[in-house]
Amino acid sequence: MTNRERRVADHGKHAKHDELEAEGPLARVALRFTAFTEKWLPDAFGFVLVGTFVVLVFGLFTGEPLLKRPDDPAVSKGMGLIDAWGQGFWSLITFTLQMAMIIIGGYAVATSGPVARLIARLARIPKTPRAAVAFVAAIAMVASYLNWAFSLIFAAILAREVARNVPKADYRALGAMAFLGLGTVWAQGLSGSAALQVASASSSPEPVQEVIREGGRASGLIPLSDTIFTWQALLATFCVFVVGVGMAWLMAPGETNSRTATDLGIELRPLFGRGSAYNGSNKEGPRRPGDWLEHSPVFSVLIVLLGVTYLVRYFAGKNFFNALDLNTVNLILFLLAMLLHWRPWRMARAVRDGAPAVSGVLLQFPLYGGIFGMIAYTGISARLAGWLVQASNQFFFPPLVALYSCILGVFVPSGGSKWVIEAPYVLDAANQLKVDAGWMVVVYDLGEASANLLQPFWMLPTLAVLGLKARDIMGYTFTMFLACFPAALIVVTLLAPHVTG
């Protein structure tokens, strides 16, 4: 390198440094974390590969055997790490298909004409890059409070449309904010799995119900009015929401440090009309009598009527939220998508276009099932819970549970199945320490949601829609974690005296 070339390079470095220093402190932190993750962080698949061996080494370090099978084949505890990994590998297969269907269903709903027009109207609201990032964060959290699965796709498509209307906004920051609901408030909302489980006798395992009875609830259940709809839970959710929107505003980079969709080589096509990938008109139309079936709305309407009739009978005499499960959510999304797309060929095209978004789920969920097995079918889970109880008291138990749930959630990112394994230990400890069991569900879920900001398991559908990699957005999600998780810990600690059993 000549002296002139060296001077030019040094000048470029100084200019870049000056541009970075011109940002606010939180924006600088986010940009530095993003630069680090873009360089060093593996893709989502690499993350689960590394996570598998982190859990394996941890198990060996804490004394778990590598190879061991229980004497009774029906017993799923006390396995060696390798046997537990194999036992757990396909344990999430039903959940995997449910997740694949919920992603495709959410995609089909979000890309239908009426919803696409709603997204287009919303996307025109923010006018500046910083407002765009904060706006997507707020909408993503509201959507995830209503339904986390729908929000993954809805917020991602909204982020793309906002980026198209505000082209100078940082596309990575918009992508991170589209996922924010899954890292903050989803579990406190209407689709929070743990709260729905403990409120329903058919969803909550008997061992969990028994521990709840020991805590003084004769039914063995905890209604939603004692979990996500308590004033403490609503206040905690609101606090996290405010912190999330505020952080989004403060850490959004300025125009000089933004990387737009164009910079990343991503084409942003309109949601409908000319150039749309989703809702263009079918120019060819039916050419033969057999094509009438695909282009007529008759059978779409009949299928919707069939499904609605079933749902009315299914929910009759039941608490709506208690009866809501993943299968029912999938059916509702499917029927809604059929109705919104109106014609069968449009529905078929939406499903075909949404199918690539589930590729990461199909590849990685079995490996996460293996990690789940190593934790659930060995002594790791009980050992972690034992350490938790020994280290806590009534005042510090809620924040410790949130911390514990967050750490475990990095390696077993499945709120419902993880809760089933941990609930007996967590609720039993809450009974001993006189802490309200319903509040522990809320606390546990706050920690569980925060873990999603640290690992890419649930990011996959959002990333697929956005055309990004996990390393592109995890600098921003990690920065958000540094604010939202401490805020959650502070809130649950301060509210603890008001929710003791």
Side-chain angles (χ1 to χ4, degrees):
M1 181 182 290
T2 65
N3 289 335
R4 182 176 182 279
E5 290 173 336
R6 189 176 293 107
R7 286 196 300 272
V8 171
D10 290 342
H11 176 74
K13 290 179 180 178
H14 288 306
K16 187 173 182 179
H17 179 268
D18 291 341
E19 290 175 354
L20 184 62
E21 290 302 315
E23 300 284 357
L26 289 176
R28 291 200 301 270
V29 170
L31 286 168
R32 288 187 174 118
F33 277 136
T34 301
F36 176 84
T37 58
E38 287 179 330
K39 183 176 182 179
W40 295 104
L41 197 71
D43 197 13
F45 187 48
F47 195 95
V48 68
L49 293 175
V50 173
T52 297
F53 289 96
V54 168
V55 174
L56 181 67
V57 171
F58 176 79
L60 292 173
F61 180 76
T62 56
E64 296 297 324
L66 190 63
L67 299 170
K68 182 185 177 183
R69 292 180 180 175
D71 296 331
D72 185 355
V75 175
S76 60
K77 290 286 187 180
M79 292 184 177
L81 291 164
I82 292 180
D83 297 297
W85 179 85
Q87 185 74 16
F89 192 83
W90 296 117
S91 64
L92 299 180
I93 189 64
T94 301
F95 183 64
T96 301
L97 181 58
Q98 289 172 325
M99 286 306 305
M101 291 302 298
I102 212 166
I103 290 166
I104 291 174
Y107 186 95
V109 170
T111 57
S112 65
V115 177
R117 287 177 174 82
L118 171 63
I119 291 175
R121 291 191 185 97
L122 290 173
R124 288 195 289 267
I125 294 176
K127 303 300 182 183
T128 66
R130 176 165 289 175
V133 173
F135 179 77
V136 171
I139 295 297
M141 285 191 283
V142 171
S144 69
Y145 188 86
L146 299 175
N147 183 274
W148 62 266
F150 174 70
S151 75
L152 283 174
I153 309 301
F154 180 86
I157 296 175
L158 174 66
R160 285 182 65 97
E161 189 67 6
V162 167
R164 204 170 65 85
N165 289 318
V166 189
K168 294 184 179 180
D170 191 292
Y171 192 65
R172 302 164 301 173
L174 289 173
M177 296 308 101
F179 176 74
L180 184 59
L182 268 289
T184 51
V185 303
W186 79 269
Q188 308 306 313
L190 305 183
S191 59
S193 52
L196 290 175
Q197 281 183 355
V198 297
S200 172
S202 60
S203 301
S204 185
E206 182 56 35
V208 176
Q209 294 187 46
E210 183 60 33
V211 176
I212 293 174
R213 292 188 192 98
E214 292 173 359
R217 298 176 184 268
S219 66
L221 304 176
I222 307 176
L224 295 179
S225 58
D226 290 346
T227 55
I228 62 174
F229 292 142
T230 61
W231 70 265
Q232 295 92 344
L234 293 172
L235 177 60
T237 303
F238 178 74
C239 289
V240 173
F241 176 87
V242 170
V243 171
V245 174
M247 281 290 295
W249 176 271
L250 292 172
M251 72 182 189
E255 294 182 10
T256 55
N257 290 298
S258 291
R259 293 193 67 188
T260 66
T262 302
D263 296 333
L264 297 168
I266 297 171
E267 180 186 6
L268 299 178
R269 301 170 67 180
L271 284 175
F272 55 88
R274 184 182 297 274
S276 170
Y278 308 121
N279 292 288
S281 61
N282 185 14
K283 296 180 180 180
E284 296 183 2
R287 292 183 173 181
R288 60 189 180 89
D291 292 333
W292 176 87
L293 184 66
E294 297 178 4
H295 291 78
S296 171
V298 171
F299 279 94
S300 293
V301 173
L302 290 176
I303 289 292
V304 171
L305 289 175
L306 191 68
V308 169
T309 301
Y310 166 77
L311 289 174
V312 170
R313 292 176 57 80
Y314 174 80
F315 285 111
K318 300 177 183 177
N319 181 289
F320 177 80
F321 295 113
N322 289 354
L324 200 63
D325 57 19
L326 279 176
N327 289 331
T328 313
V329 169
N330 271 325
L331 178 57
I332 292 172
L333 285 176
F334 179 87
L335 297 175
L336 186 59
M338 286 285 291
L339 184 63
L340 291 173
H341 283 284
W342 194 242
R343 301 183 187 278
W345 72 268
R346 289 177 178 167
M347 177 67 176
R349 185 183 60 182
V351 171
R352 183 180 65 249
D353 292 343
V358 306
S359 59
V361 169
L362 298 177
L363 176 64
Q364 296 181 44
F365 271 38
L367 288 167
Y368 276 111
I371 294 175
F372 170 80
M374 285 193 289
I375 292 177
Y377 302 150
T378 66
I380 292 178
S381 176
R383 184 175 289 109
L384 290 173
W387 292 347
L388 178 69
V389 175
Q390 293 173 11
S392 62
N393 55 34
Q394 187 183 63
F395 183 74
F396 288 111
F397 186 62
L400 279 175
V401 166
L403 180 62
Y404 165 67
S405 178
C406 179
I407 293 173
L408 200 61
V410 173
F411 300 102
V412 188
S414 175
S417 58
K418 184 167 74 71
W419 167 253
V420 170
I421 298 301
E422 304 305 317
Y425 307 108
V426 171
L427 295 180
D428 182 55
N431 291 342
Q432 296 178 41
L433 296 171
K434 306 299 182 185
V435 179
D436 182 74
W439 179 240
M440 294 318 303
V441 174
V442 173
V443 169
Y444 192 91
D445 276 342
L446 283 169
E448 163 69 24
S450 297
N452 293 332
L453 297 172
L454 301 179
Q455 54 85 25
F457 181 81
W458 294 113
M459 296 178 188
L460 299 176
T462 300
L463 293 171
V465 173
L466 292 165
L468 293 171
K469 301 286 187 180
R471 58 177 173 263
D472 294 325
I473 71 171
M474 287 192 68
Y476 289 100
T477 62
F478 182 71
T479 305
M480 187 66 72
F481 172 84
L482 294 179
C484 288
F485 186 58
L489 290 180
I490 291 171
V491 169
V492 301
T493 302
L494 294 179
L495 291 176
H498 300 285
V499 287
T500 53

